[in-house]
Amino acid sequence: MFRILTRASLIAGAALTLLAAGPSLAGTRWGEGYLPDVALTDQDGQSRRFYSDVLKGRIAVIAFIYTSCRDICPVVTARLTQVQDKLAHDKGAQ
């Protein structure tokens, strides 16, 4: 269990580092044409384009998980939910 929590903490820390570095990534190769613009289905069943509808003009943390994963995936998802809640709270406080 300790290894799972350690991994989740490392992943959450990396996600926060990427969020903090987001503005400094402007003007790099991480934009249109680099990331695929494939059609995806979101959590509400709506069709979205990966780059143009989801990522363009935003800073994002994306976690790909297996819905049948019973090991680390639920912990990672829970940690990312905490990050999302914290960011939403901090944004509202400004």
Side-chain angles (χ1 to χ4, degrees):
M1 183 67 172
F2 178 73
R3 284 181 25 186
I4 292 172
L5 292 176
T6 301
R7 287 181 191 164
S9 297
L10 289 173
I11 291 169
L16 288 174
T17 301
L18 288 174
L19 284 172
S24 66
L25 294 176
T28 66
R29 66 182 180 157
W30 304 104
E32 190 169 5
Y34 181 80
L35 299 166
D37 202 23
V38 296
L40 303 171
T41 303
D42 70 9
Q43 68 275 11
D44 299 319
Q46 300 295 313
S47 179
R48 306 270 186 224
R49 304 297 296 179
F50 182 65
Y51 181 76
S52 58
D53 294 334
V54 178
L55 297 178
K56 188 174 183 178
R58 296 182 177 100
I59 298 171
V61 175
I62 300 169
F64 295 95
I65 62 162
Y66 294 97
T67 56
S68 60
C69 171
R70 294 183 181 166
D71 187 34
I72 187 80
C73 299
V75 176
V76 170
T77 301
R79 293 288 183 216
L80 288 174
T81 300
Q82 290 174 341
V83 169
Q84 180 182 21
D85 292 344
K86 174 97 171 100
L87 291 172
H89 178 267
D90 289 351
K91 184 178 179 182
Q94 292 179 358

